Amino acid sequence: MLTYCDSRGVRYVLSTVFLVFLQSSCVSGAAIHLTHENIEMTLASNELVFINFYAEWCRFSNILQPIFDEAADKIKEAFPEVGRVVMGKVDCDKESKVASRFHITKYPTLKIIRNGQPTKREYRGQRSVEAFVEFVKKQLEDPIKEFQDLKELHNLDDKKRMIIGYFDRKDVPEYQLFRRVATNLKDDCQFHVGFGDASKAMHPPGEPIIVFRSDRALSNDDNETYKGSLANYDELNIWAQEKCVPLVREITFENAEELTEEGLPFLILFHDPKDLESVKQFKDICSTALVDEKQNVNFLTADGHKFAHPLHHLGKSASDLPLIAIDSFSHMYLFPKFQDMFIPGKLKGFLQDLYSGKLHREFHYGPDPNSNVTQIVPTTPPESTFKKLAPSKNRYTLLRDEL
């Protein structure tokens, strides 16, 4: 047993299990320092850990530090209960192994860990005390919406993927496991639950059921009932993640930086927001003929009205939608004709021409003289527009720029 004080000087006697919390208690107004010695306990013992990975020599890190520390103090006041939330910081020069573990490529990087698991998305919002506090409060909101009648499910957004749970009661281990999964995937799926009379028509007594409902307005994916164990967190989490994160994602201005940073070329369907049929068709082609390319390219859809600028660079407008293009982060290449994607192998061949350098080569030197095609118009790809949405050098110190 060890004795520690909080910021008011009050003494406590606690076990070493809570050592990590006490470090924050004895320092007022600052995020706690995370090291290789205490980070495992911190991650395992808190629902949410918000971490600032920084370097002391980095100008942007130094600008952010007092803001992040002040926000940590306010968060501690708002959520004083042990195990709920911790704001921490990692000196990446001193803790290089910790930085490597979390794949830090720029300073400062802000990551969120939920229930011990890193989320896919970094924090990329406004860097102010108010924004950090509001972000954490939103992260700690209950990720599951409860329905009181099955009729409510008819009014849910059919453009969203969702996981629905049917339980007898809330105070059962299966629901707590379901809630942990919902907390981890709240950014990717909607989660809904019904208890007692609200859901008894959907499952046998004492046997909870969890169901995936597809975004049927945007895809032809089937609904599916979870067949695994409701006592196995990893099993349910993997299943839910496979259902919540589709092969083809929508690119928005909010997630463009995140998608760009993944480093894979984009294969993008630009479509009219009212044209959902072309979205379904594109997703079907990608999930059947191109699924083996998912390690090499990001499959995306984009609102052709919101992303009018890339269309303009391609020499197209909203009247030309739908259309397909590749953004390689060097150039953009236009797929000749949308309807050609239904020709077996055509869209895959377009990707293969990117990988082989043929698209770029034809841009500079014209068609391949050995080609069997008698007439080929050389591609004239404009410069990439999506690379401009990558991490800003006015906001980060990129590690590759320091080497």
Side-chain angles (χ1 to χ4, degrees):
M1 306 299 286
L2 300 172
T3 303
Y4 291 93
C5 63
D6 68 6
S7 58
R8 299 164 297 177
V10 178
R11 292 171 64 85
Y12 294 95
V13 178
L14 293 171
S15 69
T16 54
V17 172
F18 296 107
L19 173 61
V20 67
F21 305 118
L22 301 170
Q23 290 177 318
S24 62
S25 296
C26 293
V27 180
S28 178
I32 68 171
H33 285 281
L34 297 176
T35 70
H36 65 281
E37 295 178 339
N38 67 10
I39 192 166
E40 290 297 341
M41 182 63 73
T42 305
L43 302 185
S45 305
N46 288 277
E47 178 180 339
L48 182 75
V49 182
F50 191 13
I51 306 177
N52 172 19
F53 292 88
Y54 71 95
E56 290 187 349
W57 49 263
C58 168
R59 177 168 66 91
F60 302 112
S61 293
N62 292 329
I63 293 171
L64 179 64
Q65 183 168 323
I67 299 171
F68 196 79
D69 282 346
E70 183 180 348
D73 198 38
K74 291 185 178 296
I75 290 298
K76 184 179 172 184
E77 292 176 2
F79 301 97
E81 58 270 36
V82 168
R84 194 76 194 283
V85 58
V86 163
M87 291 182 70
K89 52 190 176 184
V90 174
D91 184 333
C92 293
D93 284 340
K94 293 180 179 179
E95 299 293 336
S96 58
K97 289 184 179 180
V98 175
S100 296
R101 169 185 169 184
F102 288 94
H103 310 291
I104 304 304
T105 59
K106 60 189 181 302
Y107 302 131
T109 291
L110 303 175
K111 285 187 176 287
I112 304 98
I113 316 295
R114 293 198 191 108
N115 297 311
Q117 298 296 319
T119 62
K120 297 186 302 297
R121 297 179 176 88
E122 298 174 7
Y123 175 86
R124 301 175 188 274
Q126 183 181 358
R127 298 184 174 192
S128 68
V129 173
E130 294 76 15
F132 287 147
V133 172
E134 184 61 30
F135 171 76
V136 170
K137 287 182 177 179
K138 190 170 184 62
Q139 292 298 306
L140 292 174
E141 290 178 355
D142 194 329
I144 305 175
K145 296 181 180 179
E146 183 178 347
F147 59 87
Q148 304 299 326
D149 191 295
L150 289 174
K151 294 180 181 178
E152 296 177 34
L153 300 181
H154 298 312
N155 300 322
L156 298 180
D157 189 349
D158 61 1
K159 294 181 181 179
K160 302 293 184 181
R161 292 180 167 239
M162 55 192 70
I163 306 287
I164 304 174
Y166 303 95
F167 293 83
D168 288 323
R169 307 189 316 275
K170 185 177 292 189
D171 59 339
V172 294
E174 292 88 350
Y175 176 69
Q176 296 309 313
L177 185 145
F178 178 67
R179 190 179 183 282
R180 284 183 63 197
V181 171
T183 300
N184 288 343
L185 295 171
K186 62 186 292 185
D187 295 332
D188 301 297
C189 252
Q190 290 187 355
F191 285 81
H192 300 268
V193 69
F195 300 103
D197 292 341
S199 67
K200 66 181 182 180
M202 299 300 295
H203 68 100
E207 297 183 23
I209 287 179
I210 294 175
V211 175
F212 164 70
R213 179 187 285 189
S214 71
D215 49 346
R216 57 182 180 270
L218 298 175
S219 77
N220 292 316
D221 292 348
D222 295 326
N223 297 341
E224 183 179 314
T225 300
Y226 176 63
K227 302 295 186 182
S229 170
L230 282 176
N232 188 318
Y233 165 77
D234 289 334
E235 188 176 351
L236 177 59
N237 192 55
I238 291 171
W239 175 84
Q241 187 166 355
E242 289 175 349
K243 298 303 174 185
C244 288
V245 183
L247 176 66
V248 182
R249 294 174 284 178
E250 179 185 8
I251 188 169
T252 65
F253 288 112
E254 289 75 23
N255 68 6
E257 180 180 318
E258 167 198 337
L259 292 171
T260 301
E261 198 171 16
E262 291 180 9
L264 297 176
F266 292 169
L267 181 67
I268 312 177
L269 167 71
F270 293 93
H271 66 97
D272 186 287
K274 295 180 181 179
D275 174 19
L276 303 183
E277 187 59 30
S278 67
V279 174
K280 287 185 176 183
Q281 293 169 338
F282 180 70
K283 288 183 174 182
D284 284 345
I285 295 292
C286 291
S287 62
T288 54
L290 301 177
V291 66
D292 57 341
E293 300 289 345
K294 64 182 180 181
Q295 303 299 324
N296 304 317
V297 64
N298 267 328
F299 301 104
L300 304 171
T301 63
D303 183 328
H305 292 181
K306 292 181 179 178
F307 284 94
H309 184 62
L311 294 183
H312 176 73
H313 273 250
L314 288 165
K316 301 294 182 178
S317 67
S319 63
D320 298 303
L321 299 173
L323 56 85
I324 297 170
I326 288 174
D327 192 302
S328 69
F329 302 141
S330 294
H331 296 287
M332 294 187 73
Y333 303 96
L334 182 65
F335 186 63
K337 189 177 179 181
F338 172 77
Q339 292 298 327
D340 285 352
M341 78 171 183
F342 298 107
I343 301 174
K346 193 75 172 180
L347 196 54
K348 187 164 188 173
F350 185 51
L351 286 175
Q352 294 299 327
D353 288 345
L354 171 70
Y355 306 150
S356 68
K358 181 179 178 181
L359 293 179
H360 191 74
R361 186 170 62 251
E362 287 187 355
F363 163 60
H364 288 291
Y365 305 110
D368 187 342
N370 297 321
S371 172
N372 294 325
V373 181
T374 56
Q375 278 191 328
I376 300 179
V377 179
T379 57
T380 55
E383 184 180 358
S384 166
T385 58
F386 286 94
K387 73 176 182 180
K388 298 174 184 177
L389 299 177
S392 170
K393 292 183 179 180
N394 296 320
R395 187 171 183 178
Y396 301 107
T397 299
L398 302 181
L399 298 191
R400 57 179 174 269
D401 293 341
E402 303 299 323
L403 298 178

